[in-house]
Amino acid sequence: MLLRSVIKHVGEQNWAAVAIDFVIVVVGVFIGIQVANLNETRIENQQSARFTERLLADLRLEAWSLVFAREYYGDVLASADRAVSALEGRSTLSDEELLINAYRATQFTRAPAARETYDELISIGAINLIRDESLRNLAIRLYGVTEFEEKRTDEDRDAPYRQLFRMIMPIEIQHTLLRNCGDKNRVRRDYASIVNMLDYACSTDLGEQEIASAAKTLRTHPDVLPYLRLRMSDVESRLTDTSDFAWMEKLREIAPEMP
């Protein structure tokens, strides 16, 4: 309709009307662009808010997983330390206590990952939808650490001491240790459930002869103590690497329940 009007006014050489038509066109285009931009901005703001909320939820889970891993491997290290001390003759443990601590020193865990939102943002090149720069940097650093920790978990699973213990210890004893002295149940986001995951009082319920035989194997096998020292050193390094980060305070801001 507007085009026909312009053609008519040009034909009539009504230049004032042509000018008015031109202004109408320009204003219409401008308004159309502005409406499109506003709509695009509105959609982008909605996406930003949605991704930010999802990322915050994931980071709170990652905060729990970080504390969980630190608590868990603290217990593993304490068990390894007690077993090493006893085998070196620096302290005294009963045969059952030695067996329990030697078993717990083999344990490893894989903290559940919560990185779906971050991975999605990276895959679509939209990490800048997280407008809070400090939150964005926190996610980049934290997920870099957790990715490294996942690789370490694979190393823990294949640790020489873990493999040795499982090769020299009767399978029935291993099953009993797992059942009576293994990991306690944990609840995601529940920090109380991860305290003393391994470092708690337990009884193997094994017979005296079975305990004595297993303890003798631990005390006399030439590779147990060297591999146990190596295990202890590896776990110490792991705890040191994940215990002190400059961005930890920012993590506590979004997950204030962190201990």
Side-chain angles (χ1 to χ4, degrees):
M1 183 179 294
L2 183 58
L3 179 60
R4 288 199 299 269
S5 176
V6 170
I7 293 172
K8 177 184 176 183
H9 292 151
V10 169
E12 295 174 349
Q13 295 188 354
N14 187 348
W15 304 119
V18 170
I20 292 172
D21 290 339
F22 177 76
V23 170
I24 292 173
V25 171
V26 171
V27 170
V29 170
F30 176 78
I31 291 174
I33 292 173
Q34 289 299 105
V35 169
N37 288 340
L38 287 172
N39 189 52
E40 184 178 339
T41 299
R42 179 181 59 81
I43 293 173
E44 186 174 292
N45 287 339
Q46 290 175 343
Q47 289 179 324
S48 175
R50 186 169 64 252
F51 274 116
T52 298
E53 190 57 37
R54 284 175 53 191
L55 183 63
L56 282 168
D58 286 354
L59 288 174
R60 292 183 184 110
L61 284 174
E62 284 295 299
W64 177 86
S65 294
L66 187 64
V67 175
F68 162 65
R70 196 168 59 204
E71 290 283 338
Y72 187 92
Y73 283 104
D75 288 352
V76 171
L77 180 60
S79 292
D81 185 42
R82 285 191 286 266
V84 166
S85 180
L87 292 174
E88 290 178 342
R90 293 184 287 109
S91 65
T92 301
L93 289 178
S94 70
D95 286 348
E96 185 177 42
E97 289 172 332
L98 175 62
L99 179 58
I100 292 169
N101 282 282
Y103 162 72
R104 286 174 170 173
T106 72
Q107 292 294 82
F108 81 101
T109 190
R110 188 181 298 276
R115 53 180 302 139
E116 292 83 2
T117 303
Y118 177 77
D119 287 343
E120 182 179 349
L121 286 167
I122 294 298
S123 68
I124 64 176
I127 190 64
N128 285 332
L129 282 175
I130 307 303
R131 305 279 173 73
D132 184 335
E133 184 178 0
S134 62
L135 180 63
R136 187 169 65 244
N137 289 337
L138 170 64
I140 293 170
R141 291 168 181 170
L142 178 60
Y143 287 116
V145 169
T146 56
E147 186 173 350
F148 180 60
E149 283 301 296
E150 288 176 6
K151 295 178 181 178
R152 275 190 162 177
T153 299
D154 293 335
E155 294 173 2
D156 286 331
R157 181 195 58 209
D158 300 327
Y161 173 69
R162 176 181 168 84
Q163 293 184 356
L164 175 65
F165 185 93
R166 276 152 176 73
M167 286 189 293
I168 65 175
M169 201 57 55
I171 194 66
E172 294 82 4
I173 290 180
Q174 294 186 46
H175 288 165
T176 300
L177 288 167
L178 174 63
R179 184 170 59 251
N180 295 336
C181 302
D183 300 0
K184 292 194 295 187
N185 291 330
R186 62 181 184 261
V187 180
R188 282 186 107 179
R189 292 289 304 275
D190 180 2
Y191 287 89
S193 71
I194 62 178
V195 176
N196 297 329
M197 282 284 297
L198 276 172
D199 199 7
Y200 61 90
C202 79
S203 172
T204 62
D205 290 337
L206 293 166
E208 290 185 10
Q209 187 173 354
E210 287 180 294
I211 293 173
S213 176
K216 182 179 179 181
T217 298
L218 293 170
R219 296 183 194 277
T220 59
H221 194 289
D223 293 331
V224 167
L225 185 55
Y227 281 164
L228 189 50
R229 291 189 185 117
L230 176 62
R231 175 64 171 157
M232 187 174 173
S233 178
D234 288 343
V235 175
E236 281 180 331
S237 296
R238 183 185 189 126
L239 288 171
T240 299
D241 290 345
T242 58
S243 63
D244 185 23
F245 296 111
W247 41 260
M248 195 65 78
E249 287 306 312
K250 177 63 178 179
L251 192 58
R252 285 195 174 91
E253 286 181 18
I254 65 173
E257 65 274 26
M258 280 181 67

